[in-house]
Amino acid sequence: MKLELLQSFGLYSIVYFVLRLFWKDARLKIFDAYAVKAFVYLGLTWFLLWLIGYFVYYFQVLDEAGQEEFRSELVGKYFFRFWLQALLWLLITQAFRWKRLSRYLLIRILAGLSFVFSIERLVIIITSLHRDYLASSWKLFGEPFSFKDILGSDSIILSQIFRLCLYIACTFLIIAIEKAISKMKSNPANG
């Protein structure tokens, strides 16, 4: 499952802290409180969808032998391999329920970046940078090494801006839902 909206929390945090330096408005803090709520809710939603996806995979896709292998992966000798990354990401998002944690820029950026690199990716990167695994040359088919090779596309900035806009849209959605709920609670005759 993709984690783009959770990754964009780090980028949003940078934009928020820069705006906060120049614009001292209470509405900005209120919006940020809702943005942190969006991060918490999106993390919980992602985890639930992750669980549902694996249960659907187990019951609909696998045959009996595959189901037995999948069960051994869930609760077998190396069960932590399966659960560690998802539970870590769930804990990171739910830790922001504490208001003190959301005050610090570095913690927020690290939380957003933690969704960019999974544990599997970090192991691959560390292994590939080990001395025994380094290439004899950094050239690819005679072309010089460039950052485009690392990033994978020219539109990385545009995709990050798009993700940031999606994240802000989710935050506005949560604001609208909470206002509608509070309006319904304050006027029970219409509900």
Side-chain angles (χ1 to χ4, degrees):
M1 287 189 162
K2 296 291 185 177
L3 300 162
E4 280 85 9
L5 289 175
L6 295 173
Q7 292 170 357
S8 61
F9 180 71
L11 181 63
Y12 162 77
S13 295
I14 293 170
V15 171
Y16 166 69
F17 278 95
V18 168
L19 281 176
R20 197 176 75 175
L21 289 174
F22 300 109
W23 189 30
K24 305 287 184 191
D25 192 0
R27 292 178 292 182
L28 188 61
K29 282 190 172 187
I30 292 169
F31 183 82
D32 182 60
Y34 281 110
V36 171
K37 277 186 182 181
F39 182 65
V40 170
Y41 295 152
L42 286 170
L44 190 58
T45 304
W46 174 85
F47 183 75
L48 291 175
L49 289 174
W50 177 81
L51 278 177
I52 290 168
Y54 273 114
F55 281 117
V56 167
Y57 174 73
Y58 176 77
F59 287 113
Q60 290 188 350
V61 177
L62 295 176
D63 57 351
E64 286 185 31
Q67 287 180 350
E68 181 61 37
E69 183 179 332
F70 190 70
R71 275 193 301 269
S72 72
E73 190 173 322
L74 285 177
V75 294
K77 185 176 180 182
Y78 297 107
F79 71 95
F80 61 89
R81 231 178 11 134
F82 183 81
W83 293 102
L84 181 67
Q85 187 71 59
L87 290 175
L88 179 68
W89 283 339
L90 177 69
L91 288 174
I92 288 171
T93 58
Q94 299 312 301
F96 279 88
R97 289 181 183 269
W98 292 301
K99 305 253 186 263
R100 290 185 72 192
L101 199 61
S102 63
R103 292 183 199 157
Y104 302 105
L105 174 64
L106 183 62
I107 292 174
R108 291 170 66 147
I109 291 172
L110 290 175
L113 287 177
S114 70
F115 294 98
V116 174
F117 295 107
S118 65
I119 293 173
E120 179 184 0
R121 284 184 188 168
L122 286 174
V123 167
I124 291 170
I125 290 170
I126 290 170
T127 304
S128 66
L129 291 177
H130 191 271
R131 186 182 76 196
D132 293 340
Y133 295 103
L134 285 178
S136 60
S137 142
W138 285 102
K139 292 185 177 184
L140 248 98
F141 305 109
E143 297 176 14
F145 175 75
S146 69
F147 285 105
K148 183 180 174 186
D149 298 330
I150 294 174
L151 298 176
S153 72
D154 294 328
S155 63
I156 193 79
I157 294 173
L158 291 176
S159 67
Q160 288 299 325
I161 291 171
F162 178 72
R163 290 174 184 168
L164 179 63
C165 291
L166 278 177
Y167 185 77
I168 290 172
C170 285
T171 303
F172 279 123
L173 180 66
I174 288 177
I175 292 171
I177 289 171
E178 285 197 359
K179 283 186 179 183
I181 290 172
S182 65
K183 188 182 248 185
M184 287 172 55
K185 284 182 180 179
S186 66
N187 193 0
N190 290 339

